[in-house]
Amino acid sequence: QVQLVESGGGLVQAGGSLRLSCAAFGGIGGYHMTWHRQAPEKQREWVAVISAGGNTNYADSVKGRFTISRDNSKSTVYLQLNSLKPEDTAVYYCAAGYPAASYWGQGTQVTVSS
């Protein structure tokens, strides 16, 4: 029903910024949208959520540094990553539905060098 495709990952030095995009095919207006991340050999971690009405919440590890937003007219969700740290290195995934996600993207790699 909904297909999600992430983009915008890459290599950045500590203190730098990236903006991740999640393009949705099928319509996302009725969904809470979330970002998650998973570092190699580590458990997947929830990062941020935005409700259908635009309310947001963040994991403590990223509060004040990351911002989630959505543009329903473009069927796209964004994650702005600022003040990046090496520990932010992970594959970042977009998902539709919260707290139980119904759809997942394929992920985009973010690597932060020290």
Side-chain angles (χ1 to χ4, degrees):
Q1 181 73 191
V2 176
Q3 184 178 356
L4 306 174
V5 181
E6 301 97 332
S7 63
L11 175 64
V12 64
Q13 65 181 356
S17 298
L18 287 171
R19 189 177 78 158
L20 309 183
S21 297
C22 173
F25 302 87
I28 61 171
Y31 290 95
H32 285 57
M33 300 297 295
T34 60
W35 286 95
H36 308 251
R37 65 187 184 184
Q38 187 166 21
E41 309 299 329
K42 294 187 177 180
Q43 184 178 351
R44 187 177 68 237
E45 175 188 24
W46 168 79
V47 172
V49 59
I50 184 166
S51 73
N55 295 322
T56 61
N57 202 3
Y58 301 89
D60 288 340
S61 59
V62 306
K63 283 182 179 177
R65 300 189 299 120
F66 292 6
T67 303
I68 187 172
S69 60
R70 67 192 296 161
D71 186 338
N72 291 339
S73 68
K74 297 181 179 180
S75 295
T76 302
V77 181
Y78 305 95
L79 186 68
Q80 179 68 43
L81 292 69
N82 295 328
S83 302
L84 283 163
K85 306 173 181 179
E87 53 262 45
D88 295 320
T89 295
V91 177
Y92 284 71
Y93 297 92
C94 177
Y98 182 86
S102 298
Y103 306 97
W104 291 85
Q106 84 290 344
T108 186
Q109 176 71 50
V110 172
T111 303
V112 184
S113 62
S114 61

